[in-house]
């Protein structure tokens, strides 16, 4: 009785440990692939063991003792025909001390270091040999594990799972052959038990055919899950938004009246969006374009297309500042067409809010603009045709999925100024259609980026003085303090006080996230009107803000910002005809990572190039908002290094979903174990 309950409680603890590793089923064990491999097929003579490399040695125990200085440890001396070696353990069981009895033959695997008394291995894996024990013929897999779960037990469980789990292929043989991939069973087999003489380098570098098959399978599961959404959406109905007759065509009138010509890229993406909106299915399109590429006018055109079709449009922005700016831009362009945009803001009185909401609900107001949060809580439309979500990267993928579940039946246009590298948009964004504005409006002068260490602050202050004296305006971006919002605020207040004292002749403004929406709006309006000359700001101005007369930006402690953030911030200048300058003030000494970031931002102005560098420096988590959502990212594949596989997986997913949906389901089940979303834990 007691025994049984002890066993079940111990199997519970094993299950808990496995679940820490994300293992719930036999298949999860099968897909729990080695972290690396160790070579136990050879014995290295002690005298030849190279320092710093893990090797296997074999010798006879000469002595084993527990010593207490400097702290309790087990010290065993072994010897082979070439030399002597100390095995040292700071944590050990009594049974281990006993096993290492004088005269025993022991095989130990570890890194040899030069210790005080000659060579030693600290905490080697070891085995006492009883009789003749042939060397293993193949590399030994080493698995990722967690405290209290040894390699030995994990290996046994994986063995058992390999015998039990269904390992039949989800890909037809022809398909894997055509892609140059091996079969699934063969792949897991050879990764868990590499064959003698297996390609060691390929196994370690994860470039062997077996690894490529696993990476492909993982990417394929991701593609299937994202493309399933895509197909489901195309099967749903939404009102087609058609181009009306010429006399009633607001969009055509707007294009005619614009003070500029649409760039070729803008014309192309508008065509793509137009085509998509005319379909009887909900559009979910991501519009990417670098900062300043002119996404707003495209959003206005799309909104007008809904209005021309008798439907309403919602425009959602991540911040109040941005929502207000959109409200101004939209009003400027819609007003002459006799159309009105409603602005939903936190600074409205209750009465104002209620009447705005009523106008939206009755359909009197065709376009409503506000923050994302506001829309989620309050707004009822009479007939919503299109939702525009600006700067969608701010919301992260988790929020995107939530939004998708909610507003499933309307058309959606998502806009992002953080260019998404191709491999990423082909994978995590594969549920969407993508349009790219890859051209800036003509006549933009490139922004000059300067790096200056903080000892040159005086010079920088001088530049601001000159620039403002010449009638231009400047931003001063406060240091980012990620750890504490409180400290961040305090720093902003201090920076403001210092700069105010330094520029007694200038109107200096301050804007940060803790201000009331009305205060923020007032400050931004004053900066736009030119009465504030120098705007001290936190990253609240990171996205979207458009003040063409501001041509100088100083970013203090630039080394603390991420690449995407720096690119966004810098994009706030360079919007007018003047030459613009962005000064990155940094504090020495610079760490390795900060130095690479500053180099990338200094050398590049193309957002796509910067985004790719960012993806390589930091991985995809940042883009996907995965840090907040805890979403599981790819375990084996690397979007950049395995871009050929991403491409192949995309094509295969399409074919599978079309021709053998059942195999697609089976593949998803194998990799996701019944979780529907690739991005949810
Ligand atoms: P973003 O893509 O960063 O949102 P905006 O839509 O704010 O960029 O556009 C940046 C600026 O460029 C705005 O002042 C806008 O009016 C202007 N603009 C947009 N399209 C063109 C164009 N084709 N030619 C000239 N200026 C343009
Ligand atoms: Mg914008």
């Amino acid at each position: 009785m007691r025994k049984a309950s002890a066993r079940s409680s111990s199997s519970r603890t094993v299950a808990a440990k496995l679940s820490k590793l994300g293992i719930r089923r036999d298949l999860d064990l099968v897909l729990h692939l080695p972290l690396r491999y160790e070579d136990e097929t050879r014995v290295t003579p002690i005298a030849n063991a190279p320092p710093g490399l893990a090797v296997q040695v074999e010798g006879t125990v000469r002595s084993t003792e527990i010593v207490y200085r400097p702290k309790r440890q087990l010290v065993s001396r072994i010897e082979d025909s070439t030399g002597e070696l100390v095995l040292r353990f700071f944590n050990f069981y009594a049974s281990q001390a006993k096993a290492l009895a004088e005269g025993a033959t022991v095989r130990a695997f570890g890194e040899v270091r030069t210790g005080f008394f000659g060579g030693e291995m600290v905490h080697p894996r070891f085995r006492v040999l009883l009789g003749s024990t042939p060397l293993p013929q193949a590399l030994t897999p080493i698995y990722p594990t967690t405290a209290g779960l040894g390699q030995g037990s994990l290996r046994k469980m994986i063995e058992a799972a390999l015998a039990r789990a269904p390992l039949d292929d989800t890909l037809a043989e022809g398909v894997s052959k055509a892609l140059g991939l091996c079969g699934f069973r063969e792949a897991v087999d050879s990764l868990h038990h590499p064959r003698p003489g297996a390609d060691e380098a390929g196994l370690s570098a994860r470039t062997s055919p077996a690894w490529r098959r696993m990476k492909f399978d993982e990417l394929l599961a991701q593609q299937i899950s994202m493309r399933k959404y895509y197909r489901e959406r195309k099967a749903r109905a939404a009102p087609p938004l058609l181009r009306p007759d010429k006399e009633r065509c607001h969009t055509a009138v707007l294009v005619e009246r614009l003070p500029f010509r649409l760039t070729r890229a803008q014309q192309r993406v508008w065509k793509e969006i137009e085509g998509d909106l005319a379909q009887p299915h909900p559009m979910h399109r991501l519009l990417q374009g670098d900062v300043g590429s002119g996404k707003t006018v495209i959003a206005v055109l799309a909104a007008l297309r809904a209005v021309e079709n008798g439907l309403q449009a919602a425009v959602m922005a991540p911040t109040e500042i941005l929502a207000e700016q959109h409200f101004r831009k939209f009003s400027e362009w819609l007003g002459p067409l006799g159309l009105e945009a409603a602005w939903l803001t936190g600074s409205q009185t209750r009465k104002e809010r209620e009447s705005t909401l009523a106008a939206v609900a009755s359909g009197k107001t065709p376009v409503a603009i506000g923050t994302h949060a506001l829309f989620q809580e309050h707004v009822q439309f009479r007939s919503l045709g299109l939702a525009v979500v600006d700067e969608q990267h701010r919301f992260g993928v988790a929020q995107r999925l939530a939004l998708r579940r909610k507003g499933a039946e309307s058309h959606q246009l998502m806009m992002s100024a953080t260019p998404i590298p191709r491999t990423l948009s082909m994978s995590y964004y594969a549920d969407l259609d993508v349009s790219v504005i890859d051209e800036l409006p003509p006549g933009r002068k490139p922004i000059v980026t300067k790096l200056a260490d903080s000892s040159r602050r005086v010079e920088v202050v001088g530049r601001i003085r000159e620039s403002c004296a010449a009638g231009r305006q400047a931003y001063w971006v406060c240091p980012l303090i990620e750890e504490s919002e409180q400290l961040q605020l305090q720093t902003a207040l201090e920076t403001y006080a210092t700069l105010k004292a330094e520029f007694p002749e200038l109107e200096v403004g301050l804007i940060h996230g803790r201000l009331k929406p009305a205060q923020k709006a007032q400050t931004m309006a004053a900066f736009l009107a030119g009465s504030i000359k120098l705007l001290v700001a936190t990253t609240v101005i990171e996205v979207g803000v458009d003040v063409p007369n501001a041509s100088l930006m100083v970013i203090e402690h630039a080394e603390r910002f991420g690449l995407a953030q720096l690119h966004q911030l810098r994009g706030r200048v360079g919007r007018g005809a003047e030459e613009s300058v962005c000064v990155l003030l940094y504090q020495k000494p610079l760490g390795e990572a900060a130095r690479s970031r500053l180099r990338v931002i200094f050398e590049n102005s193309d957002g796509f190039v910067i985004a790719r560098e960012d993806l390589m420096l930091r991985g995809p988590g940042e883009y996907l908002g995965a840090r907040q959502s805890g979403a599981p990212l790819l375990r084996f594949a690397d979007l950049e290094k395995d871009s050929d596989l991403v491409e192949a997986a995309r094509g295969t997913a399409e074919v599978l979903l079309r021709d053998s949906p059942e195999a697609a389901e089976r593949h998803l089940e194998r990799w996701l174990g019944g979780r529907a979303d690739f991005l949810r834990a």
Side-chain angles (χ1 to χ4, degrees), residues 295-296 322 326 390-391 544:
K295 294 183 291 296
T296 315
L322 211 51
H326 278 322
D390 195 17
E391 305 299 352

Side-chain angles (χ1 to χ4, degrees), residues 8 25 60 67 100 140 146 161 179 188 194 202 216 219 221 232 314 347 365 391 416 432 528 547 636 643 669:
S8 85
R25 316 163 298 165
T60 309
V67 300
L100 289 168
T140 311
T146 180
L179 294 166
V188 287
F216 175 83
L219 290 166
E232 282 166 13
S347 58
T365 306
E391 305 299 352
S416 170
L432 305 175
L528 184 64
V547 179
F636 306 124
S643 55
E669 169 65 29

Side-chain angles (χ1 to χ4, degrees), residues 566-619:
L566 287 173
H567 180 63
Q568 285 295 322
L569 285 167
R570 183 172 59 180
R572 299 307 110 216
V573 293
R575 304 189 145 242
E578 294 297 332
E579 172 153 289
S580 291
V581 177
C582 177
V583 182
L584 305 174
L585 266 182
Y586 64 88
Q587 182 81 50
K588 284 201 279 200
L590 283 178
E592 189 67 43
R595 185 184 302 273
S596 339
R597 284 198 301 271
L598 290 180
R599 178 174 307 131
V600 170
I601 203 79
F602 178 69
E603 288 175 355
N604 296 285
S605 57
D606 181 334
F608 277 93
V609 176
I610 292 169
R612 267 201 63 183
E613 295 283 342
D614 203 24
L615 183 59
M616 283 192 278
L617 288 174
R618 287 197 301 186

Side-chain angles (χ1 to χ4, degrees), residues 463-485:
R463 270 200 95 102
I464 293 184
R465 189 160 280 133
E466 273 167 38
S467 178
C468 291
R472 291 194 288 280
Q473 291 166 277
Y475 295 99
W476 187 288
V477 180
C478 298
L480 176 70
I481 298 168
E482 270 197 329
E483 301 76 29
S484 154
E485 204 188 329

Side-chain angles (χ1 to χ4, degrees), residues 260-263 266 289-297 329 333 391 417 441-442 444 544 546 548 575:
F260 47 74
R261 259 179 72 85
L262 292 180
T263 60
Q266 282 171 319
D290 211 344
V291 286
S293 60
K295 294 183 291 296
T296 315
V297 65
K329 269 266 146 78
W333 283 333
E391 305 299 352
R444 293 272 166 83
D546 186 24
R575 304 189 145 242

